[in-house]
Amino acid sequence: MITGLTAAELAAKLKSKEVSAVEAAEAHLDRIDEVDADYGAFLTTCRDQALADAEAAQKLLDAGEDKPLTGVPFALKDNICTEGIETTCASKILEGWKPPYNASVVENLKSQGMVLLGKTNLDEFAMGASTETSAYKTTRCPWDPDCSPGGSSGGSAVAASAEMAPIAYGSDTGGSVRQPAALCGVVGFKPTYGRISRYGLVAFSSSLDQIGPLTRSVEDTALAFQAAAGHCRLDSTSLPDAAYNPGDLKSGSLKGLKVAVPQELMGDDISEGVRESVEIALDRLKREGAIITSVSLPSLPLGVTTYYIIAPAEASSNLGRFDGIRFGPRIEKGDHNESTAATRGQLFGHEVKLRIMVGTYALSAGYYDAYYKRAQQVRGLMADEMSKVMREHDVVISPTSPVASFRLGEFAKDQMALKTLDLCTIPANMGGFPSISLPCGNAGDMPVGMLLTGPIMGDERLLSTAYAAEQAMGFSGRRPPIL
Ligand code: GLN
């Protein structure tokens, strides 16, 4: 079946003409039509445009002008702007908004001849860890439809896991690519901050946001990263040497690999099932020659509280632009101020309003030093501690999420508990480090992810290490039993 192929396998079949780009697009679109009513991964699909793009890709393939992923379909989180295609951020405040331009990452993927299938569901404005704050629909984990796929890039994780797209892009501010990848049993990668352009990614917390791919193998992650990465003059935080070449992806070895395991991320905050599964996986790496050392990074437990000052502070400023005038619907009521208040009051969801209020408070005169400035200082401390340990070790490993997938609604009454699930993923965002989640085992019937984090611009090494770890562990590409 075409939809069961990895991106690398599909690309090979496209090049050998065993499969045409139109067949590849149709197979995935049909699969979405067939199964997505059960999973709710997509907010929008773009069949006509996808088939037209696939025909154009086929011409490139026929002319031999193909790039690595020409003709390969992909899905995109609905907070990444697509020209003429609705981009809602899963919020009512952007209902019906069709951006007049493509995000730079979309331009990069299209220039490779990749084919956009549709836009995936997320927590509203990417604020959440279960995809349940979406204003539009519930997304379900393919491993158990009563469970959450994680979030905020839950739709992208499900698209990859349930074989609706070989590659789905998400955004990661505090873990939103890696955590849903872990909960859905796929690979999720947040590159070094600045390697994939943020131009056209609707900003949540600009100093933390980074786009990254979710796929079913590390090889596909490398290909998807290559297609997306590159310097962008429209993003002032884009790195000059952002481009990536997977050249020696498969040359990585675990022999002599120095692994640091922060004890703060293996303690009581981690559920037993997850901890056991990560320990077994670490043993596996050790048998292949890795040298595993337990280290202490005392600032890491401060990550969640620090993050929940910095991210809302930046969000409160970034979301100021949604006034109902320039984007999306407007509720008219009395004068301008009343209309703006009604629009924001009625069309933003609860979680988004909560963050705007927390962020505005943390930035206000008199509180700025106590909250925002302090949080930035702790952020610096976390980045320093991580950098220091990475000078002495090749990679930092921990669980990706303290828990495996949980039942939908489980955190309805305890939103703080849901926020603590970002414990292990936040440090990479704080320091801009590249970080990848790999399927490493199970807790009960549900997949568990292992998180590997490397130094800034160490993406090449991190991915080749992840490739070697994936081969040793053998959990990538397992299909949810339901498929
Ligand atoms: N769960 C975190 C939050 O709710 C992270 C979200 C993200 O990475 N976009 O903010």
Side-chain angles (χ1 to χ4, degrees):
M1 262 233 304
I2 291 176
T3 49
L5 301 172
T6 64
E9 290 163 350
L10 179 56
K13 289 198 191 298
L14 287 161
K15 290 185 205 316
S16 67
K17 307 277 190 302
E18 237 176 287
V19 173
S20 77
V22 172
E23 281 166 348
E26 258 172 354
H28 286 92
L29 291 162
D30 290 349
R31 174 144 183 91
I32 296 169
D33 287 347
E34 202 181 301
V35 303
D36 201 40
D38 296 336
Y39 299 118
F42 284 84
L43 289 172
T44 309
T45 47
C46 11
R47 179 174 279 269
D48 295 346
Q49 182 68 53
L51 293 176
D53 288 354
E55 266 173 43
Q58 190 57 46
K59 291 211 176 83
L60 292 175
L61 286 158
D62 290 343
E65 307 166 25
D66 53 326
K67 307 245 171 52
L69 293 178
T70 303
V72 173
F74 69 99
L76 203 61
K77 189 175 182 178
D78 205 28
N79 60 350
I80 301 175
C81 288
T82 41
E83 184 179 351
I85 299 168
E86 202 170 334
T87 300
T88 65
C89 296
S91 180
K92 291 282 178 197
I93 211 160
L94 281 175
E95 190 161 19
W97 182 59
K98 293 185 174 162
Y101 68 99
N102 277 327
S104 296
V105 65
V106 176
E107 289 292 330
N108 287 354
L109 303 177
K110 290 206 166 220
S111 74
Q112 303 272 318
M114 290 174 72
V115 176
L116 174 66
L117 298 168
K119 307 291 295 286
T120 58
N121 198 20
L122 62 150
D123 281 296
E124 187 176 356
F125 283 102
M127 297 175 185
S130 66
T131 314
E132 289 168 293
T133 72
S134 167
Y136 295 102
K137 57 163 75 166
T138 302
T139 302
R140 296 170 184 280
C141 180
W143 293 80
D144 180 347
D146 291 330
C147 288
S148 164
S152 64
S153 312
S156 286
V158 174
S161 168
E163 301 179 354
M164 291 184 264
I167 296 170
Y169 291 89
S171 64
D172 190 312
T173 305
S176 276
V177 162
R178 294 162 289 153
Q179 184 257 19
L183 271 50
C184 291
V186 296
V187 179
F189 175 48
K190 182 198 87 68
T192 294
Y193 181 81
R195 288 197 79 160
I196 297 182
S197 171
R198 289 185 300 109
Y199 180 75
L201 165 67
V202 178
F204 164 10
S205 178
S206 314
S207 74
L208 301 166
D209 298 340
Q210 180 63 201
I211 292 172
L214 296 100
T215 70
R216 299 193 293 272
S217 73
V218 174
E219 183 178 20
D220 283 5
T221 291
L223 290 167
F225 177 39
Q226 178 183 33
H231 177 68
C232 173
R233 63 183 178 79
L234 299 170
D235 171 0
S236 62
T237 58
S238 173
L239 293 170
D241 42 2
Y244 166 76
N245 183 339
D248 33 44
L249 176 73
K250 298 185 182 172
S251 68
S253 159
L254 299 175
K255 219 163 230 89
L257 184 82
K258 290 195 208 127
V259 176
V261 180
Q263 63 189 48
E264 289 78 5
L265 306 183
M266 280 298 258
D268 291 345
D269 297 324
I270 310 300
S271 69
E272 223 177 283
V274 167
R275 197 167 49 218
E276 267 170 24
S277 144
V278 171
E279 268 161 7
I280 293 170
L282 282 168
D283 259 356
R284 180 89 230 167
L285 303 186
K286 199 164 155 188
R287 266 184 279 147
E288 301 285 328
I291 305 157
I292 318 272
T293 315
S294 174
V295 299
S296 174
L297 299 175
S299 69
L300 297 194
L302 301 172
V304 172
T305 37
T306 308
Y307 171 88
Y308 280 98
I309 297 289
I310 294 173
E314 293 185 17
S316 70
S317 161
N318 277 326
L319 270 56
R321 68 185 60 140
F322 300 109
D323 51 11
I325 296 175
R326 289 163 294 178
F327 317 93
R330 178 168 173 87
I331 294 171
E332 295 294 350
K333 192 180 166 215
D335 66 10
H336 167 73
N337 284 346
E338 281 169 315
S339 297
T340 301
T343 302
R344 288 171 65 85
Q346 289 175 41
L347 301 181
F348 277 138
H350 174 80
E351 183 65 26
V352 174
K353 284 191 266 191
L354 187 120
R355 308 250 184 150
I356 292 173
M357 283 192 277
V358 168
T360 307
Y361 182 84
L363 290 175
S364 54
Y367 296 105
Y368 180 94
D369 283 356
Y371 294 110
Y372 187 72
K373 193 171 157 202
R374 203 123 177 248
Q376 289 290 16
Q377 287 165 337
V378 177
R379 176 180 186 170
L381 199 67
M382 291 178 72
D384 284 352
E385 279 181 12
M386 290 283 288
S387 296
K388 183 161 176 285
V389 86
M390 287 191 280
R391 280 197 289 276
E392 290 149 14
H393 300 83
D394 299 311
V395 65
V396 177
I397 293 187
S398 72
T400 304
S401 161
V403 297
S405 180
F406 43 87
R407 293 184 86 73
L408 286 160
E410 187 171 326
F411 290 97
K413 292 208 175 68
D414 192 355
Q415 289 294 315
M416 263 324 287
L418 186 63
K419 291 180 169 65
T420 62
L421 300 189
D422 301 327
L423 172 74
C424 307
T425 44
I426 282 173
N429 302 84
M430 290 292 180
F433 305 120
S435 183
I436 185 167
S437 177
L438 300 180
C440 75
N442 299 331
D445 294 332
M446 302 307 266
V448 172
M450 171 190 261
L451 192 68
L452 289 76
T453 302
I456 293 210
M457 286 306 284
D459 308 61
E460 284 73 2
R461 175 91 198 273
L462 179 69
L463 288 172
S464 61
T465 301
Y467 182 82
E470 175 184 59
Q471 305 307 308
M473 299 189 300
F475 280 96
S476 285
R478 269 189 326 154
R479 311 178 77 202
I482 225 161
L483 294 192

